[in-house]
């Protein structure tokens, strides 16, 4: 599926674009993507490189996993391409930045985090862009993404706005931008239609709504 959906971005003659990986960890996946996307301005986000300390102070209490990669860690920090915590959106947004076309969430594999990635990053993708969410199962912490979130976004994919029907979009900020959903073997790819990107979408509208992990809150499922 990666070659099928991401293959066009791997060509040497493709238009330059931004790629973002969520979850650098030790950088092995990021290195693979850098090789696969020769025309990408590649970025990654990682929580373990924020300031060390207790979580209740907004810090990271464990090891800095990213620093293990001595080849790329400091270089990417200096180039503002490795973003610790949630610094990515501001540091990637520059007047001369190429369009954001591919985002891969390989982060915490927690359902709420995965859904939040969709609500924040999907509207910011340029037309034709792709958001890949990995490991939707068999990880227990990801289960509600598969059992509660996916049915709702699939309903939105097929929403036609017929006033004679009792349904309405489950996710009004996502449905108008959604062109496709393709899931295979623990991975889902969400495709953008030709509506313009929304890089300035407010934080409120970029935040996962309360019912995202409870399909009974969507009118289509009542």
């Amino acid at each position: 599926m990666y070659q099928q959906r991401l293959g066009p971005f791997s060509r040497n003659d493709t238009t330059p674009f931004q790629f973002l990986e969520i979850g650098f960890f030790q950088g092995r996946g990021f290195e693979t993507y850098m090789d696969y996307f020769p025309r990408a301005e590649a970025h990654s986000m990682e929580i373990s490189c924020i300031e060390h300390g207790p979580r209740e102070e907004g810090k990271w209490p464990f090891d800095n996993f990213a620093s293990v990669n001595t080849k790329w860690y400091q270089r990417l920090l200096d180039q503002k391409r490795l973003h610790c915590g949630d610094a990515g959106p501001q540091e990637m947004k520059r007047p001369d930045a190429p369009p954001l076309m591919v985002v891969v969430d390989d982060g915490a594999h927690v359902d709420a985090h995965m859904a939040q990635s969709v609500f924040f990053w999907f509207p910011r993708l340029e037309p034709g862009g792709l958001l890949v969410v990995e490991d939707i199962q068999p990880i227990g912490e990801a289960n509600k993404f598969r059992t509660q979130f996916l049915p709702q976004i699939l309903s939105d994919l097929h929403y036609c706005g017929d006033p004679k029907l009792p349904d309405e979009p489950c996710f009004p900020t996502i449905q108008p931008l959604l062109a496709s959903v393709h899931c295979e073997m623990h991975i889902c790819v969400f495709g953008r239609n030709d509506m313009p990107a929304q890089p300035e979408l407010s934080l409120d509208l970029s935040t996962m709504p309360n019912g995202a992990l409870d399909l009974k809150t969507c009118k289509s499922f009542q």
Side-chain angles (χ1 to χ4, degrees), residues 8-195:
F9 296 102
S10 69
R11 296 167 55 97
N12 288 316
D13 60 352
T14 195
T15 302
F17 66 96
Q18 279 188 328
F19 159 75
L20 172 66
E21 174 198 52
I22 300 171
F24 183 83
F25 191 49
Q26 296 178 352
R28 289 189 290 271
F30 185 75
E31 290 179 345
T32 300
Y33 281 119
M34 284 198 297
D35 289 340
Y36 187 63
F37 296 135
R39 300 281 285 167
E41 179 188 285
H43 294 255
S44 191
M45 296 178 68
E46 172 60 36
I47 192 172
S48 72
C49 56
I50 66 173
E51 183 180 357
H52 184 79
R55 272 184 166 167
E56 54 269 24
E57 296 180 9
K59 301 175 183 178
W60 182 250
F62 309 111
D63 291 340
N64 181 345
F65 308 128
S67 65
V68 172
N69 191 317
T70 55
K71 177 181 177 181
W72 285 106
Y73 177 66
Q74 192 59 51
R75 188 189 313 185
L76 292 173
L77 285 175
D78 294 342
Q79 295 174 352
K80 297 188 183 302
R81 293 199 291 135
L82 176 60
H83 311 284
C84 299
D86 58 1
Q90 292 304 317
E91 294 181 347
M92 292 172 64
K93 190 171 61 176
R94 315 181 315 272
D96 63 337
L100 177 63
M101 298 301 297
V102 180
V103 175
V104 175
D105 184 337
D106 188 22
H109 310 306
V110 174
D111 42 34
H113 296 193
M114 298 153 81
Q116 178 56 50
S117 289
V118 178
F119 285 101
F120 188 89
W121 288 107
F122 194 73
R124 289 167 170 78
L125 285 168
E126 294 291 334
L130 298 173
L131 170 63
V132 181
V133 179
E134 298 186 337
D135 300 314
I136 67 168
Q137 68 177 59
I139 301 170
E141 291 82 359
N143 275 347
K144 287 187 178 180
F145 184 87
R146 174 175 52 86
T147 63
Q148 304 295 315
F149 175 83
L150 273 182
Q152 295 188 73
I153 202 168
L154 285 171
S155 175
D156 281 359
L157 178 65
H158 299 288
Y159 175 76
C160 62
D162 187 340
K164 298 178 183 178
L165 299 176
D167 64 338
E168 58 187 34
C170 299
F171 306 137
T173 61
I174 301 298
Q175 184 272 329
L177 310 175
L178 189 62
S180 64
V181 179
H182 183 176
C183 299
E184 290 185 26
M185 196 61 180
H186 315 327
I187 297 167
C188 284
V189 181
F190 303 90
R192 281 280 273 106
N193 59 19
D194 58 1
M195 295 290 288

